[in-house]
Amino acid sequence: MDKCITCSSGSVCTECPNTYYPNGNKCSLCTDKHCTTCDSKTGYCSTCEEGYYLEEGKCLKCSDKMTNCAKCSESTLCETCEDKYYPDGNGCLECCNQHCSSCDSTTGECAACLDGYYLEEGKCKECSENKHCNSCD
């Protein structure tokens, strides 16, 4: 009984670990390598690992459908974008704050500035002799 957690009638597997489903007297791998759980009769995916969404029993990569999307719940809803991008409802937009090195992945607001700049009210401002900056030389 390979990987079988629970058996009935002595030799029929009824429960398997995640990414497997009962298939007679053994556990078989789900049909997609990015499945976290799958249908116990067919092996088709029912949930996917982070960074993938479920479509017709298969796990598809978020960034293949929406450029720069790191986490999505469905093919058209990006929840978290890659660094320097933020969700806009239809995908991900690049943070447009000049001199910003990273932005909040949900709001798009600048979170850190390039060297020689400091963050003030969500904007990167150049360091000068009048302003003391810990991050500037």
mmCIF file of all heavy atoms in Angstrom, residues 7-43:
data_model
loop_
_atom_site.group_PDB
_atom_site.id
_atom_site.type_symbol
_atom_site.label_atom_id
_atom_site.label_comp_id
_atom_site.label_asym_id
_atom_site.label_seq_id
_atom_site.Cartn_x
_atom_site.Cartn_y
_atom_site.Cartn_z
ATOM 1 N N CYS A 7 -6.862 2.459 4.813
ATOM 2 C CA CYS A 7 -7.368 1.415 3.904
ATOM 3 C C CYS A 7 -8.714 0.910 4.404
ATOM 4 O O CYS A 7 -9.001 0.961 5.597
ATOM 5 C CB CYS A 7 -6.402 0.235 3.854
ATOM 6 S SG CYS A 7 -4.773 0.655 3.264
ATOM 7 N N SER A 8 -9.523 0.416 3.481
ATOM 8 C CA SER A 8 -10.761 -0.262 3.865
ATOM 9 C C SER A 8 -10.774 -1.626 3.180
ATOM 10 O O SER A 8 -10.056 -1.834 2.193
ATOM 11 C CB SER A 8 -11.983 0.561 3.442
ATOM 12 O OG SER A 8 -12.097 0.586 2.044
ATOM 13 N N SER A 9 -11.536 -2.524 3.688
ATOM 14 C CA SER A 9 -11.626 -3.884 3.142
ATOM 15 C C SER A 9 -10.249 -4.529 3.006
ATOM 16 O O SER A 9 -10.030 -5.346 2.114
ATOM 17 C CB SER A 9 -12.318 -3.864 1.776
ATOM 18 O OG SER A 9 -13.567 -3.245 1.853
ATOM 19 N N GLY A 10 -9.331 -4.104 3.824
ATOM 20 C CA GLY A 10 -8.009 -4.712 3.850
ATOM 21 C C GLY A 10 -7.045 -4.289 2.768
ATOM 22 O O GLY A 10 -5.861 -4.193 2.996
ATOM 23 N N SER A 11 -7.517 -4.001 1.561
ATOM 24 C CA SER A 11 -6.566 -3.691 0.496
ATOM 25 C C SER A 11 -6.936 -2.495 -0.375
ATOM 26 O O SER A 11 -6.223 -2.170 -1.312
ATOM 27 C CB SER A 11 -6.373 -4.916 -0.399
ATOM 28 O OG SER A 11 -7.587 -5.221 -1.044
ATOM 29 N N VAL A 12 -8.049 -1.814 -0.081
ATOM 30 C CA VAL A 12 -8.454 -0.658 -0.882
ATOM 31 C C VAL A 12 -8.054 0.614 -0.143
ATOM 32 O O VAL A 12 -8.471 0.860 0.980
ATOM 33 C CB VAL A 12 -9.975 -0.660 -1.170
ATOM 34 C CG1 VAL A 12 -10.382 0.588 -1.943
ATOM 35 C CG2 VAL A 12 -10.366 -1.913 -1.932
ATOM 36 N N CYS A 13 -7.236 1.415 -0.783
ATOM 37 C CA CYS A 13 -6.767 2.672 -0.188
ATOM 38 C C CYS A 13 -7.895 3.701 -0.238
ATOM 39 O O CYS A 13 -8.527 3.896 -1.277
ATOM 40 C CB CYS A 13 -5.550 3.168 -0.958
ATOM 41 S SG CYS A 13 -4.764 4.585 -0.192
ATOM 42 N N THR A 14 -8.152 4.378 0.895
ATOM 43 C CA THR A 14 -9.220 5.391 0.958
ATOM 44 C C THR A 14 -8.706 6.781 1.289
ATOM 45 O O THR A 14 -9.425 7.763 1.119
ATOM 46 C CB THR A 14 -10.289 4.997 1.996
ATOM 47 O OG1 THR A 14 -9.656 4.833 3.257
ATOM 48 C CG2 THR A 14 -11.019 3.727 1.586
ATOM 49 N N GLU A 15 -7.462 6.892 1.766
ATOM 50 C CA GLU A 15 -6.910 8.204 2.115
ATOM 51 C C GLU A 15 -5.429 8.241 1.794
ATOM 52 O O GLU A 15 -4.684 7.325 2.104
ATOM 53 C CB GLU A 15 -7.126 8.510 3.600
ATOM 54 C CG GLU A 15 -6.690 9.897 4.003
ATOM 55 C CD GLU A 15 -6.857 10.168 5.499
ATOM 56 O OE1 GLU A 15 -7.320 9.275 6.243
ATOM 57 O OE2 GLU A 15 -6.503 11.278 5.905
ATOM 58 N N CYS A 16 -5.005 9.363 1.177
ATOM 59 C CA CYS A 16 -3.613 9.553 0.780
ATOM 60 C C CYS A 16 -3.131 10.930 1.242
ATOM 61 O O CYS A 16 -3.942 11.812 1.529
ATOM 62 C CB CYS A 16 -3.482 9.486 -0.741
ATOM 63 S SG CYS A 16 -3.964 7.901 -1.447
ATOM 64 N N PRO A 17 -1.824 11.156 1.279
ATOM 65 C CA PRO A 17 -1.311 12.477 1.632
ATOM 66 C C PRO A 17 -1.584 13.492 0.518
ATOM 67 O O PRO A 17 -1.947 13.113 -0.603
ATOM 68 C CB PRO A 17 0.192 12.250 1.801
ATOM 69 C CG PRO A 17 0.500 11.009 1.037
ATOM 70 C CD PRO A 17 -0.755 10.192 1.036
ATOM 71 N N ASN A 18 -1.403 14.793 0.831
ATOM 72 C CA ASN A 18 -1.560 15.840 -0.189
ATOM 73 C C ASN A 18 -0.706 15.510 -1.406
ATOM 74 O O ASN A 18 0.348 14.911 -1.270
ATOM 75 C CB ASN A 18 -1.153 17.209 0.358
ATOM 76 C CG ASN A 18 -2.240 17.840 1.192
ATOM 77 O OD1 ASN A 18 -3.348 17.340 1.274
ATOM 78 N ND2 ASN A 18 -1.920 18.953 1.825
ATOM 79 N N THR A 19 -1.150 15.934 -2.545
ATOM 80 C CA THR A 19 -0.561 15.718 -3.872
ATOM 81 C C THR A 19 -0.760 14.292 -4.393
ATOM 82 O O THR A 19 -0.301 13.958 -5.477
ATOM 83 C CB THR A 19 0.941 16.116 -3.976
ATOM 84 O OG1 THR A 19 1.742 15.189 -3.275
ATOM 85 C CG2 THR A 19 1.178 17.528 -3.470
ATOM 86 N N TYR A 20 -1.475 13.445 -3.633
ATOM 87 C CA TYR A 20 -1.798 12.081 -4.052
ATOM 88 C C TYR A 20 -3.302 11.854 -3.916
ATOM 89 O O TYR A 20 -3.974 12.550 -3.164
ATOM 90 C CB TYR A 20 -1.074 11.047 -3.181
ATOM 91 C CG TYR A 20 0.408 10.980 -3.432
ATOM 92 C CD1 TYR A 20 1.280 11.846 -2.776
ATOM 93 C CD2 TYR A 20 0.943 10.039 -4.313
ATOM 94 C CE1 TYR A 20 2.653 11.786 -3.004
ATOM 95 C CE2 TYR A 20 2.307 9.976 -4.540
ATOM 96 C CZ TYR A 20 3.160 10.849 -3.890
ATOM 97 O OH TYR A 20 4.509 10.788 -4.114
ATOM 98 N N TYR A 21 -3.815 10.845 -4.625
ATOM 99 C CA TYR A 21 -5.223 10.457 -4.491
ATOM 100 C C TYR A 21 -5.319 8.931 -4.486
ATOM 101 O O TYR A 21 -4.463 8.246 -5.046
ATOM 102 C CB TYR A 21 -6.076 11.067 -5.609
ATOM 103 C CG TYR A 21 -5.824 10.488 -6.975
ATOM 104 C CD1 TYR A 21 -6.690 9.532 -7.517
ATOM 105 C CD2 TYR A 21 -4.738 10.904 -7.741
ATOM 106 C CE1 TYR A 21 -6.460 9.001 -8.779
ATOM 107 C CE2 TYR A 21 -4.505 10.365 -9.008
ATOM 108 C CZ TYR A 21 -5.367 9.421 -9.513
ATOM 109 O OH TYR A 21 -5.140 8.893 -10.754
ATOM 110 N N PRO A 22 -6.358 8.385 -3.809
ATOM 111 C CA PRO A 22 -6.517 6.923 -3.760
ATOM 112 C C PRO A 22 -6.819 6.351 -5.142
ATOM 113 O O PRO A 22 -7.659 6.865 -5.866
ATOM 114 C CB PRO A 22 -7.712 6.710 -2.832
ATOM 115 C CG PRO A 22 -7.927 8.010 -2.138
ATOM 116 C CD PRO A 22 -7.384 9.070 -3.037
ATOM 117 N N ASN A 23 -6.106 5.290 -5.498
ATOM 118 C CA ASN A 23 -6.290 4.661 -6.797
ATOM 119 C C ASN A 23 -6.177 3.143 -6.598
ATOM 120 O O ASN A 23 -5.109 2.560 -6.733
ATOM 121 C CB ASN A 23 -5.230 5.174 -7.777
ATOM 122 C CG ASN A 23 -5.462 4.702 -9.195
ATOM 123 O OD1 ASN A 23 -6.448 4.042 -9.494
ATOM 124 N ND2 ASN A 23 -4.539 5.043 -10.075
ATOM 125 N N GLY A 24 -7.283 2.528 -6.194
ATOM 126 C CA GLY A 24 -7.300 1.090 -5.914
ATOM 127 C C GLY A 24 -6.543 0.771 -4.639
ATOM 128 O O GLY A 24 -6.879 1.283 -3.574
ATOM 129 N N ASN A 25 -5.474 -0.007 -4.762
ATOM 130 C CA ASN A 25 -4.721 -0.403 -3.574
ATOM 131 C C ASN A 25 -3.465 0.451 -3.348
ATOM 132 O O ASN A 25 -2.572 0.076 -2.612
ATOM 133 C CB ASN A 25 -4.325 -1.887 -3.657
ATOM 134 C CG ASN A 25 -3.368 -2.152 -4.799
ATOM 135 O OD1 ASN A 25 -3.136 -1.298 -5.641
ATOM 136 N ND2 ASN A 25 -2.814 -3.360 -4.827
ATOM 137 N N LYS A 26 -3.397 1.621 -4.005
ATOM 138 C CA LYS A 26 -2.230 2.494 -3.865
ATOM 139 C C LYS A 26 -2.640 3.959 -3.950
ATOM 140 O O LYS A 26 -3.796 4.284 -4.221
ATOM 141 C CB LYS A 26 -1.198 2.181 -4.943
ATOM 142 C CG LYS A 26 -1.712 2.466 -6.343
ATOM 143 C CD LYS A 26 -0.685 2.145 -7.410
ATOM 144 C CE LYS A 26 -1.303 2.475 -8.772
ATOM 145 N NZ LYS A 26 -0.396 2.334 -9.857
ATOM 146 N N CYS A 27 -1.676 4.834 -3.734
ATOM 147 C CA CYS A 27 -1.866 6.276 -3.919
ATOM 148 C C CYS A 27 -1.143 6.683 -5.192
ATOM 149 O O CYS A 27 0.014 6.310 -5.403
ATOM 150 C CB CYS A 27 -1.297 7.047 -2.738
ATOM 151 S SG CYS A 27 -2.204 6.787 -1.202
ATOM 152 N N SER A 28 -1.818 7.436 -6.036
ATOM 153 C CA SER A 28 -1.222 7.931 -7.273
ATOM 154 C C SER A 28 -1.037 9.439 -7.180
ATOM 155 O O SER A 28 -1.817 10.128 -6.514
ATOM 156 C CB SER A 28 -2.115 7.611 -8.472
ATOM 157 O OG SER A 28 -2.227 6.219 -8.643
ATOM 158 N N LEU A 29 -0.021 9.946 -7.858
ATOM 159 C CA LEU A 29 0.225 11.388 -7.886
ATOM 160 C C LEU A 29 -0.906 12.113 -8.593
ATOM 161 O O LEU A 29 -1.473 11.598 -9.567
ATOM 162 C CB LEU A 29 1.528 11.692 -8.630
ATOM 163 C CG LEU A 29 2.799 11.716 -7.813
ATOM 164 C CD1 LEU A 29 4.016 11.800 -8.734
ATOM 165 C CD2 LEU A 29 2.807 12.849 -6.820
ATOM 166 N N CYS A 30 -1.219 13.321 -8.126
ATOM 167 C CA CYS A 30 -2.195 14.164 -8.814
ATOM 168 C C CYS A 30 -1.708 14.406 -10.243
ATOM 169 O O CYS A 30 -0.513 14.289 -10.531
ATOM 170 C CB CYS A 30 -2.346 15.502 -8.087
ATOM 171 S SG CYS A 30 -3.001 15.361 -6.408
ATOM 172 N N THR A 31 -2.619 14.789 -11.122
ATOM 173 C CA THR A 31 -2.299 14.932 -12.541
ATOM 174 C C THR A 31 -1.391 16.126 -12.843
ATOM 175 O O THR A 31 -0.846 16.209 -13.928
ATOM 176 C CB THR A 31 -3.588 15.069 -13.372
ATOM 177 O OG1 THR A 31 -4.327 16.193 -12.899
ATOM 178 C CG2 THR A 31 -4.428 13.812 -13.282
ATOM 179 N N ASP A 32 -1.239 17.054 -11.917
ATOM 180 C CA ASP A 32 -0.428 18.255 -12.137
ATOM 181 C C ASP A 32 0.568 18.397 -11.000
ATOM 182 O O ASP A 32 0.204 18.282 -9.833
ATOM 183 C CB ASP A 32 -1.359 19.474 -12.201
ATOM 184 C CG ASP A 32 -0.660 20.735 -12.654
ATOM 185 O OD1 ASP A 32 0.252 21.187 -11.941
ATOM 186 O OD2 ASP A 32 -1.041 21.276 -13.707
ATOM 187 N N LYS A 33 1.818 18.684 -11.326
ATOM 188 C CA LYS A 33 2.851 18.762 -10.282
ATOM 189 C C LYS A 33 2.691 19.963 -9.365
ATOM 190 O O LYS A 33 3.320 20.028 -8.318
ATOM 191 C CB LYS A 33 4.250 18.733 -10.897
ATOM 192 C CG LYS A 33 4.598 19.945 -11.733
ATOM 193 C CD LYS A 33 5.994 19.811 -12.300
ATOM 194 C CE LYS A 33 6.345 21.020 -13.158
ATOM 195 N NZ LYS A 33 7.706 20.913 -13.681
ATOM 196 N N HIS A 34 1.839 20.930 -9.706
ATOM 197 C CA HIS A 34 1.623 22.108 -8.866
ATOM 198 C C HIS A 34 0.345 22.013 -8.027
ATOM 199 O O HIS A 34 -0.064 22.978 -7.406
ATOM 200 C CB HIS A 34 1.637 23.379 -9.717
ATOM 201 C CG HIS A 34 2.933 23.569 -10.436
ATOM 202 N ND1 HIS A 34 4.106 23.883 -9.796
ATOM 203 C CD2 HIS A 34 3.243 23.437 -11.750
ATOM 204 C CE1 HIS A 34 5.088 23.955 -10.674
ATOM 205 N NE2 HIS A 34 4.591 23.686 -11.857
ATOM 206 N N CYS A 35 -0.291 20.840 -8.015
ATOM 207 C CA CYS A 35 -1.471 20.591 -7.176
ATOM 208 C C CYS A 35 -1.048 20.468 -5.713
ATOM 209 O O CYS A 35 0.002 19.892 -5.420
ATOM 210 C CB CYS A 35 -2.126 19.259 -7.544
ATOM 211 S SG CYS A 35 -3.027 19.239 -9.076
ATOM 212 N N THR A 36 -1.891 20.974 -4.825
ATOM 213 C CA THR A 36 -1.694 20.687 -3.401
ATOM 214 C C THR A 36 -2.696 19.629 -2.955
ATOM 215 O O THR A 36 -2.395 18.815 -2.098
ATOM 216 C CB THR A 36 -1.821 21.955 -2.533
ATOM 217 O OG1 THR A 36 -3.026 22.626 -2.858
ATOM 218 C CG2 THR A 36 -0.642 22.892 -2.770
ATOM 219 N N THR A 37 -3.884 19.641 -3.553
ATOM 220 C CA THR A 37 -4.873 18.572 -3.351
ATOM 221 C C THR A 37 -5.551 18.296 -4.690
ATOM 222 O O THR A 37 -5.603 19.153 -5.565
ATOM 223 C CB THR A 37 -5.957 18.951 -2.310
ATOM 224 O OG1 THR A 37 -6.641 20.123 -2.746
ATOM 225 C CG2 THR A 37 -5.351 19.183 -0.930
ATOM 226 N N CYS A 38 -6.072 17.069 -4.809
ATOM 227 C CA CYS A 38 -6.753 16.722 -6.049
ATOM 228 C C CYS A 38 -7.966 15.847 -5.771
ATOM 229 O O CYS A 38 -8.103 15.285 -4.686
ATOM 230 C CB CYS A 38 -5.803 16.051 -7.028
ATOM 231 S SG CYS A 38 -4.954 14.596 -6.432
ATOM 232 N N ASP A 39 -8.827 15.745 -6.774
ATOM 233 C CA ASP A 39 -10.052 14.959 -6.682
ATOM 234 C C ASP A 39 -9.709 13.502 -6.406
ATOM 235 O O ASP A 39 -8.847 12.916 -7.071
ATOM 236 C CB ASP A 39 -10.830 15.096 -7.996
ATOM 237 C CG ASP A 39 -12.161 14.384 -7.939
ATOM 238 O OD1 ASP A 39 -12.173 13.168 -8.236
ATOM 239 O OD2 ASP A 39 -13.168 15.028 -7.608
ATOM 240 N N SER A 40 -10.395 12.909 -5.448
ATOM 241 C CA SER A 40 -10.076 11.541 -5.029
ATOM 242 C C SER A 40 -10.466 10.478 -6.056
ATOM 243 O O SER A 40 -10.052 9.338 -5.954
ATOM 244 C CB SER A 40 -10.746 11.239 -3.689
ATOM 245 O OG SER A 40 -12.143 11.305 -3.812
ATOM 246 N N LYS A 41 -11.239 10.843 -7.061
ATOM 247 C CA LYS A 41 -11.640 9.870 -8.084
ATOM 248 C C LYS A 41 -10.874 10.041 -9.391
ATOM 249 O O LYS A 41 -10.534 9.072 -10.052
ATOM 250 C CB LYS A 41 -13.136 9.983 -8.334
ATOM 251 C CG LYS A 41 -13.979 9.499 -7.165
ATOM 252 C CD LYS A 41 -15.460 9.633 -7.479
ATOM 253 C CE LYS A 41 -16.314 9.094 -6.374
ATOM 254 N NZ LYS A 41 -16.436 9.928 -5.210
ATOM 255 N N THR A 42 -10.607 11.291 -9.762
ATOM 256 C CA THR A 42 -9.997 11.547 -11.074
ATOM 257 C C THR A 42 -8.517 11.929 -11.018
ATOM 258 O O THR A 42 -7.814 11.775 -12.011
ATOM 259 C CB THR A 42 -10.733 12.692 -11.783
ATOM 260 O OG1 THR A 42 -10.554 13.893 -11.015
ATOM 261 C CG2 THR A 42 -12.208 12.395 -11.955
ATOM 262 N N GLY A 43 -8.076 12.488 -9.892
ATOM 263 C CA GLY A 43 -6.699 12.967 -9.802
ATOM 264 C C GLY A 43 -6.516 14.384 -10.317
ATOM 265 O O GLY A 43 -5.425 14.942 -10.246
#
